[in-house]
Amino acid sequence: MIYTVGGQKGGSGKTTVATNLAVLLISIGRDVLLVDADDQETSSDFTALREERMENQAGYTAVKLSGINILKQVPKLAERYQDIVIDTGGRDTESQRAALTVTNIFLIPFVPRSFDIWTLEKVEFLVEQARSANPKLKAYVFINRADPRGGDNDEAAELLKQSEVLHFLDSPLGNRKAFANAAANGMGVIELKNTDEKAVNEFKALYEQLNHSS
Ligand SMILES: Nc1ncnc2c1ncn2[C@@H]1O[C@H](COP(=O)(O)OP(=O)(O)OP(=O)(O)O)[C@@H](O)[C@H]1O
Ligand SMILES: [Mg+2]
């Protein structure tokens, strides 16, 4: 399976989701390639830290690719790995477009805030365009950094549900320190010592829902 985590908003949690997904997939025995398609190279930095902490045993392979090279290399790499997770930047980049033409599953996290939700139409347009080259592309939206209380989560969910282009996964990730703490140690939430069970359960639930829907 080839997953791309993207969207049109910076800081929505793309790298958090991509790295946690890679870690979850290796935990269930999958052979995983993590592709950093963002010039900021955050997931490469994550992997470098992870290798340092784990005596070079990150558990997955990581590469950095951009633009046209994503189109050229990912299909070949897909023959060698069971799963590929592509982390893109939060802009409409050539790299993100290239990734979407070779991807099975597009994952778009949304923070439940107006500025983030306002990018929904742009994401829909991006997916519709990508489908002209990749008709089987499945695109899933979900809430990341959900508030512990208040109406903003529900309001955002209502808007995301209305999309006819994107499928809403009703499996939010809360705004939980464990995600940042795990990243600071080169780990996924499921690996962190004294982790937050809620964060672990939310991430696993999101993956389960994705599996059921795809
Ligand atoms: N569910 C969450 N709970 C708490 N903190 C989170 C959560 N998701 C992401 N964060 C934090 O939010 C910040 C941005 O997350 P991340 O780097 O994953 O976003 P991004 O979409 O990859 O950003 P960019 O657009 O810069 O690539 C990070 O500090 C991360 O630790
Ligand atoms: Mg990122």
Side-chain angles (χ1 to χ4, degrees):
M1 196 63 83
I2 305 176
Y3 304 87
T4 289
V5 190
Q8 301 248 332
K9 190 77 180 74
S12 59
K14 298 175 293 295
T15 303
T16 301
V17 170
T19 51
N20 274 282
L21 178 60
V23 167
L24 185 71
L25 290 168
I26 60 170
S27 80
I28 56 173
R30 308 282 293 174
D31 195 7
V32 175
L33 176 71
L34 177 63
V35 176
D36 190 347
D38 182 5
D39 296 340
Q40 288 187 100
E41 302 188 357
T42 315
S43 67
S44 300
D45 290 344
F46 171 88
T47 303
L49 174 65
R50 183 175 174 85
E51 298 218 303
E52 204 180 290
R53 296 283 165 94
M54 298 186 174
E55 294 170 354
N56 295 323
Q57 303 295 319
Y60 57 81
T61 306
V63 291
K64 164 119 191 67
L65 291 174
S66 63
I68 195 81
N69 279 323
I70 296 173
L71 269 180
K72 288 187 185 162
Q73 300 300 326
V74 169
K76 288 189 226 170
L77 291 161
E79 291 168 16
R80 301 203 179 177
Y81 293 91
Q82 288 174 308
D83 294 314
I84 297 182
V85 180
I86 307 175
D87 179 26
T88 70
R91 283 146 289 118
D92 180 11
T93 56
E94 192 191 343
S95 294
Q96 182 159 186
R97 282 171 185 261
L100 292 185
T101 63
V102 295
T103 289
N104 306 117
I105 292 182
F106 185 28
L107 287 168
I108 310 115
F110 276 90
V111 177
R113 294 287 174 269
S114 310
F115 289 174
D116 292 71
I117 302 297
W118 288 347
T119 65
L120 182 60
E121 267 183 42
K122 287 191 179 129
V123 174
E124 287 178 331
F125 187 59
L126 182 68
V127 168
E128 281 178 318
Q129 279 187 323
R131 281 188 181 139
S132 61
N134 181 11
K136 289 191 182 154
L137 178 68
K138 292 186 173 163
Y140 297 92
V141 289
F142 57 94
I143 290 178
N144 182 36
R145 307 196 79 163
D147 298 322
R149 60 190 74 82
D152 291 355
N153 301 332
D154 290 345
E155 227 171 88
E158 276 314 309
L159 289 168
L160 296 177
K161 267 182 213 165
Q162 281 169 21
S163 176
E164 287 171 9
V165 181
L166 313 164
H167 184 86
F168 177 65
L169 295 174
D170 195 3
S171 199
L173 303 176
N175 191 17
R176 305 194 185 281
K177 265 187 141 180
F179 286 105
N181 292 346
N185 287 288
M187 289 178 184
V189 275
I190 62 165
E191 299 172 317
L192 192 65
K193 265 190 198 155
N194 305 318
T195 192
D196 176 349
E197 283 306 321
K198 285 184 183 156
V200 172
N201 292 337
E202 283 169 354
F203 199 80
K204 286 184 174 169
L206 177 66
Y207 179 69
E208 287 305 317
Q209 249 222 2
L210 181 63
N211 260 344
H212 277 288
S213 319
S214 58

